[in-house]
Amino acid sequence: MMKANLEALDTATRELRERRVDLSRRVSLEEDKGLERLAKVEGWLSRAESIDSEVSDLLREEPTETKRLCLFGYCSKNCISSCKYGKKVSKKLEEVKELLSKGVFEELAEKRPASKVVKKDIQTTIGLDSMVGKAWDSIMKPEGRTLGIYGMGGVGKTTLLARINNKFDKEVNEFDVVIWVVVSKDLQYKVIQDQILRRLRADQELEKETEEKKASFIDNILRRKKFILLLDDLWSAVDLNKIGVPRPTQENGSKIVFTTRSKKVCRDMKADDELKMDCLSTNEAWELFQNVVGEAPLKKDPEILTLAEKISKKCHGLPLALNVIGKAMSCKEDVHEWRHANDVLKSSSREFPGMEENILSVLKFSYDGLEDEKVKSCFLYCSLFPEDYEIKKEELIEYWINEGFINGKRDEDGSNNKGHVIIGSLVRAHLLTESETTVKMHDVLREMALWIGSTSGKEEEKQCVKSGVKLSCIPDDINWSVSRRISLMSNQIEKISCCPKCPNLSTLFLRDNDLKGIPGKFFQFMPSLIVLDLSHNRSLRDLPEEICSLTSLKYLNLSYTRISSLSVGLKGLRKLISLDLEFTKLKIIDGIGASLPNLQVLKLYRSRHYIDARSIEELQLLKHLKILTGNVTDASILESIQGVEGLVRCVQRLRIINMSAKDLTLNTVALGGLRELEIINSKISEIKIDWKCKGKEDLPSPYFKHLFSIVIHDLEGPKELSWLLFAPNLKHLEVIRSPSLEEIINKEKGMSISNVHPPDMTVPFPKLESLTLRGLPELERICSSPQALPSLKDIAHCPKLSLESFQDTSRYVEIEE
């Protein structure tokens, strides 16, 4: 009997082991989708692993017990011992059978619950504690449902809302989730819904659904939660039904808190409680101003301290003004500079009777203090974009170069140092805020810039901005004849019927509209037009021949349109310096070299054009080319590009797609300007790095100095990617579906590279912040170095990949795709 039970136990345990492996694999697939395994599944897997170990221990005792058996198993020399062992086997067999019967699950995982609060980064505040207390008391009142916080622009409403948001993270409370939404002047329900869905971790699955379906989903989720909805920057009442937000009641206990400039919005939103935010008191304002300016200038001269207090009073207690002016004065240690500042603010403030105007004039002081007229023009240019718009730094600098605000001299990677210096000065002056790749204007500062652009007597500052205001056609009230720059971007303009005469117009933004075509007459009277942006008109298929009338045009952006060929008119733009054709349907660039001889920037990335021998000949005709982005399918063509003197260092963004090659060589000198690299759907056994430069000695530390992003999808062939060590400044790495990949950095190859090129490659991926590894069934490790990945913030990884080898595992955050 015992022998039969042992055989049955062995068989059942093997079946249990196989089921555990299968279930673990299925669970991993669900987790790759961003789901979280169910507790009962985790419990079953844990118990299965444990009982497997117990059975193994039991079966190891079998030879000893078998020797004790005689008479073919019917009688034992040691009856007591055999009896106990037999009972253990029988009991464990029942346990295994029972666990097998419970190991069938219809559902394995569910959506990972959203965190209760996402904390906001805020600077140290002054004078807000009492307001935070009042708001908190109002929110916590059982009968309170909606709180409206109102006050003028720049008074600190968003900061107060951020303090409230963070307080929910510190204080014990009964709410399930706190949701932050930025609304802004251009009220769009879809944008609000998407922010809520992103917070609830449901944005991707509902990305293409209608507003109605999104509203239904949001309603279904929030009805089952006690939520706090924080709506920042309301300009008009929002319809909660359209969003899908259940109206808070005393029964459901949910709350809504919003900020607005208008008390009327509080009434329209039927707020139960209203909280007015006033400017800081004189003492609070003075304390904030001293903090911003810093001790050093204020201690230089007793008169500076007196003047600083006077200037602080002219800011009328507005936190934004205090921060902006204080920052501008923080580097001034000469009393004459402080006297001048005080005189300027005193005279200009009197010209405007209202508070809003006084504040704008105070803020204008920072604008007037900018180093030269070109920098001022750079700042005003930022107001052409819609409110809360994230402006790409490199794109903005390209506009500035072509407008002539800064010279076009570029660094080895194609970047313009002067442009970045100006962005830095505007950020330090608190006129712009920045992220790694973008800048943004505070809406009050944008209003100030628009005010300057519309009222200034200076011809070069005349601007007309109607961006992001839902226009369906070009309005009749635009004064084309005097405007220097016009922005109609981010609207819903489908058709152009006017024929404007604009002798002074230098910039025209029509990007992000619904244009399907443009009549030729529209371009006939724009002799000074330098910058034309038509990007993101996704139905625009061609341009009129009359575009050749734009004889001064230097910058043309046609990215994200359906442009499929270069029209004859386009080829007549002899002064064109920058042409962006990324994400278009363009297939052929024949004639571009002869037609556009002054071209310095040519962007073809993600277009339908794949660089071949013929297009290399065209590109060689562009003697001034500094920046090139494009797509390559042939390894020999890529080798040719790297061997052409005129294209060396020009390539900034490269997409290798559908390539089949035994090996591929990338040269760190020829591709010295490379910033972004994609390798898609290719079969390449090995990627090699070369650092030799024709006619020059080997470089001492050759690597891709500017390469910060690498994306690899569906790459067949390599077992490792040790060549990535040649990109020590890499910040983002994404590797998806590479079935043969076993490791990212091979230990032997890694040591070989590090030994040849120290110290640049001693620590693998020293600046990598974001790492995504998906669909890599054989991947077991990133690299063997425990010092690797010191800067990593986000990681999405494969189930086989162990992170235990890294010293500080607390810094890894599991993220969703």
Side-chain angles (χ1 to χ4, degrees), residues 102-257:
K102 293 180 178 179
V104 180
F105 301 94
E106 289 184 9
E107 290 184 336
L108 302 177
E110 62 185 4
K111 287 179 185 173
R112 186 180 289 109
S115 58
K116 182 174 180 175
V117 183
V118 176
K119 287 188 70 176
K120 295 287 179 182
D121 291 328
I122 49 177
Q123 296 176 338
T124 304
T125 58
I126 290 172
L128 267 187
D129 290 348
S130 64
M131 293 297 289
V132 172
K134 288 178 184 178
W136 188 259
D137 292 341
S138 174
I139 293 166
M140 291 302 161
K141 286 191 301 187
E143 66 274 18
R145 297 181 296 276
T146 305
L147 170 64
I149 300 170
Y150 69 97
M152 66 174 297
V155 79
K157 301 183 295 296
T158 298
T159 304
L160 174 59
L161 199 64
R163 286 276 305 268
I164 294 168
N165 177 84
N166 292 355
K167 194 172 174 69
F168 278 105
D169 186 55
K170 293 179 182 177
E171 301 281 339
V172 176
N173 59 83
E174 298 178 352
F175 292 96
D176 298 315
V177 63
V178 181
I179 303 170
W180 178 288
V181 174
V182 178
V183 182
S184 298
K185 197 170 186 177
D186 178 21
L187 175 60
Q188 294 186 37
Y189 286 100
K190 178 183 178 298
V191 174
I192 297 173
Q193 288 177 327
D194 289 345
Q195 291 180 71
I196 295 173
L197 289 170
R198 196 176 303 120
R199 183 69 182 83
L200 298 174
R201 296 178 179 266
D203 52 318
Q204 290 187 350
E205 60 191 88
L206 295 171
E207 184 180 3
K208 296 181 180 178
E209 295 293 350
T210 62
E211 287 185 19
E212 290 75 17
K213 286 190 177 179
K214 288 180 180 179
S216 176
F217 183 89
I218 292 170
D219 179 77
N220 185 45
I221 295 292
L222 293 185
R223 278 194 186 281
R224 293 181 276 121
K225 292 184 181 292
K226 188 175 180 181
F227 66 86
I228 288 276
L229 179 61
L230 306 177
L231 299 170
D232 187 33
D233 201 15
L234 263 66
W235 287 72
S236 59
V238 296
D239 187 338
L240 297 178
N241 292 326
K242 279 189 176 181
I243 303 169
V245 174
R247 194 165 289 280
T249 63
Q250 204 162 335
E251 289 71 30
N252 62 31
S254 294
K255 311 276 183 174
I256 292 177
V257 184

Side-chain angles (χ1 to χ4, degrees), residues 57-77:
D57 292 340
L58 196 60
L59 292 178
R60 270 195 292 272
E61 298 174 25
E62 180 191 355
T64 304
E65 293 299 329
T66 302
K67 286 178 183 177
R68 291 174 179 163
L69 296 175
C70 62
L71 299 177
F72 304 99
Y74 291 101
C75 182
S76 174
K77 293 176 182 176

Side-chain angles (χ1 to χ4, degrees), residues 381 384-385 399 486-489 507-511 531 533:
Y381 208 90
L384 297 176
F385 298 86
Y399 293 134
I486 294 177
S487 176
L488 298 167
M489 68 176 288
T507 288
L508 176 60
F509 282 2
L510 280 165
R511 61 184 290 173
V531 173
D533 195 335

Side-chain angles (χ1 to χ4, degrees), residues 398 401-402 410 414 554-556 576-581 598-603 622 624-629 652:
E398 282 300 314
I401 289 172
N402 288 284
R410 300 178 189 275
K554 294 182 180 179
Y555 175 97
L556 178 60
L576 202 64
I577 290 174
S578 180
L579 177 59
D580 192 338
L581 293 159
N598 293 303
L599 214 54
Q600 295 180 18
V601 179
L602 178 59
K603 297 185 177 183
L622 299 172
H624 305 288
L625 193 64
K626 299 290 192 302
I627 295 175
L628 174 67
T629 72
Q652 265 193 10

